[in-house]
């Protein structure tokens, strides 16, 4: 299975979150109406554009061979995120596929909405950055028409770029930087999606780091709540929830070992040091009252709101950073102009 999963990752493109949300929303309706999962899945293959069908067909082959949906999704790992297969496994183990599919569709739709809001929020800083780059270009051209007392062009920015020739060099540098950035986008996106070095570095940034933790904790809460509603024991609950939030790196084996040693679930989770305190407290309250799934259900939306707010704040900070850079550029130009004209006046006064 491991070899098959690795191979499939190279063959199947990742399905967009919006497509996955619609897919599992329709599956919830079909399976809830009594339609066999294999038949419902085959119907969905015909609905999707050709780009996504190979991954869907791989899952269909797994289902036809007797595998569960979660295992079949993992076999087509390039198309389906690990968090999806981990949550689907709750339905596989409990027989509550309609409820699990419905909850998964809701969570995916919410994730897609948050991602679109984040992209929209990035538009303003991007425009600010373009404006700053254009302003630099204008200043380079202008510097070619300003001369010192000897008629030599003045380098306003101190970059060695003056006039139209300097503008051509500047645009060439921007083109090279843009090409590097575009080439790095898919690598960065893959590292982020696979929780590689980009994700680890982002976790250290103010605003973004706490937002990522809140988002992972929300995914953990939702998966744990679904497992709890399905009546799974604490060990299975932790195992499935850990798969739904891999960024937290919770060791299900370690938690289960502590549970067997007599720890309560909240104490075992607290010892791992991976979850925020509010999640630990919610689990503790849920254990005392017998309402752990309901408690986690109520907490998950609040954590998702915190994650969105944190990312929005980070985008706002990025916008202010761009404006600060523009202000610094303007201040630099003013100082250099002042120094130039002060020197020019001094040269004239000295008869040079």
């Amino acid at each position: 299975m491991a070899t098959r999963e690795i191979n499939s990752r190279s063959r199947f493109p990742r399905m967009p979150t919006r497509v996955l949300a619609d897919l599992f929303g329709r599956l919830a309706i079909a399976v809830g109406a009594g339609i066999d999962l294999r038949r419902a899945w085959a119907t969905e293959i015909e609905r999707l554009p050709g780009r996504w069908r190979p991954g869907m067909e791989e899952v269909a082959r797994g289902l036809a061979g007797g595998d569960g949906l979660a295992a079949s999704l993992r076999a087509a790992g390039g198309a389906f995120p690990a968090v999806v297969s981990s949550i689907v496994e709750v339905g596989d183990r409990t027989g509550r596929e309609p409820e699990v599919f419905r909850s998964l569709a809701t969570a995916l739709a919410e994730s897609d909405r948050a991602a679109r809001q984040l992209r929209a929020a990035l538009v303003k800083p991007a425009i600010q950055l373009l404006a700053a780059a254009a302003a630099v270009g204008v200043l380079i051209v202008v510097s070619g028409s300003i001369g010192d007392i000897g008629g030599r062009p003045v380098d306003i920015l101190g970059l060695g770029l003056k006039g139209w020739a300097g503008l051509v060099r500047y645009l060439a540098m921007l083109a090279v930087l843009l090409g590097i950035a575009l080439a790095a986008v898919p690598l960065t996106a893959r590292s982020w999606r696979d929780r590689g070095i980009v994700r680890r570095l982002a976790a250290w940034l103010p605003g973004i780091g706490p937002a990522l933790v809140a988002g992972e904790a929300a995914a953990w809460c939702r998966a744990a709540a679904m497992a709890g509603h399905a009546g799974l024991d604490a060990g299975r609950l932790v195992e499935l929830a850990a798969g739904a939030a891999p960024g937290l790196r919770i060791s299900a084996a370690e938690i289960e070992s502590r549970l067997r040693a007599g720890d309560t679930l909240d104490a075992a989770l607290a010892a791992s040091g991976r979850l925020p305190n509010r999640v630990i407290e919610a689990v503790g309250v849920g254990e005392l009252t017998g309402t752990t799934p309901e408690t986690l259900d109520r907490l998950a939306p609040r954590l998702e709101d915190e994650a969105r707010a944190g990312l929005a704040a980070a985008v706002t900070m990025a916008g202010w950073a761009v404006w600060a850079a523009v202000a610094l550029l303007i201040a630099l130009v003013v100082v250099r102009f002042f120094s130039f004209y002060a020197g020019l006046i001094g040269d004239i006064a000295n008869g040079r």
Side-chain angles (χ1 to χ4, degrees):
M1 179 65 70
T3 302
R4 182 184 177 195
E5 183 176 340
I6 292 171
N7 290 339
S8 66
R9 282 180 180 167
S10 64
R11 296 193 315 232
F12 306 125
R14 178 67 58 92
M15 292 179 68
T17 304
R18 180 70 260 172
V19 174
L20 289 171
D22 292 341
L23 167 65
F24 282 99
R26 291 190 297 266
L27 283 175
I29 296 172
V31 176
I35 298 175
D36 180 73
L37 177 59
R38 288 171 293 185
R39 180 183 170 191
W41 192 269
T43 301
E44 290 300 324
I45 294 176
E46 300 302 320
R47 293 178 185 271
L48 296 181
R51 176 186 173 109
W52 316 119
R53 288 184 183 178
M56 295 285 290
E57 290 167 350
E58 177 74 7
V59 175
R61 285 190 286 271
L63 292 174
D67 291 339
L69 180 56
S72 300
L73 292 173
R74 291 191 181 101
F80 302 93
V83 63
V84 170
S85 57
S86 295
I87 293 176
V88 165
E89 191 170 353
V90 177
D92 285 351
R93 295 192 182 191
T94 63
R96 300 181 60 172
E97 287 94 343
E99 296 91 335
V100 171
F101 293 167
R102 193 174 299 111
S103 296
L104 178 58
T106 300
L108 289 169
E110 182 62 27
S111 175
D112 177 70
R113 185 174 73 86
R116 284 188 283 109
Q117 288 177 341
L118 180 61
R119 287 193 294 270
L122 287 171
V123 170
K124 184 177 178 180
I127 292 175
Q128 293 169 344
L129 188 60
L130 288 174
V136 171
V138 171
L139 289 172
I140 290 173
V141 174
V142 169
S143 68
S145 61
I146 299 176
D148 59 15
I149 196 169
R152 295 180 297 271
V154 177
D155 184 6
I156 296 176
L157 299 175
L159 300 176
L161 302 174
K162 294 166 285 189
W164 292 104
L167 178 63
V168 171
R169 289 173 57 195
Y170 172 67
L171 293 177
M173 287 189 293
L174 287 183
V176 171
L177 291 175
L178 180 60
I180 294 173
L182 291 176
V185 165
L187 297 176
T188 301
R190 187 178 302 114
S191 178
W192 179 275
R193 186 177 61 237
D194 297 338
R195 292 169 173 80
I197 188 170
V198 172
R199 184 74 172 246
R200 291 196 294 272
L201 289 175
W204 290 95
L205 296 177
I208 296 179
L212 292 177
V213 172
E216 291 282 0
W220 189 94
C221 288
R222 287 201 178 278
M226 280 189 277
H229 283 305
L232 297 183
D233 60 40
R236 295 298 185 190
L237 180 150
V238 171
E239 178 187 349
L240 294 175
L248 294 176
R249 292 181 172 83
I250 296 175
S251 171
E254 178 185 338
I255 300 297
E256 193 159 2
S257 175
R258 289 184 176 275
L259 291 174
R260 285 197 298 268
D263 280 357
T264 59
L265 179 56
D266 62 324
L269 291 171
S272 73
R274 300 292 185 178
L275 284 166
N277 287 335
R278 73 186 70 187
V279 177
I280 305 298
E281 293 167 359
V283 171
V285 171
E287 284 188 298
L288 287 175
T289 60
T291 59
T292 299
E294 293 80 5
T295 303
L296 294 177
D297 269 334
R298 289 191 295 271
L299 179 59
R302 295 201 292 271
L303 290 168
E304 288 168 345
D305 289 341
E306 284 187 20
R308 283 193 296 271
L311 291 175
V315 170
T316 301
M317 290 172 60
W320 282 109
V322 172
W323 277 126
V326 173
L328 183 63
L329 175 64
I330 294 173
L332 174 65
V333 171
V334 170
V335 170
R336 290 186 66 83
F337 261 119
F338 178 79
S339 300
F340 164 69
Y341 280 111
L344 184 63
I345 292 171
D347 289 343
I348 294 174
N350 293 328
R352 281 188 254 168

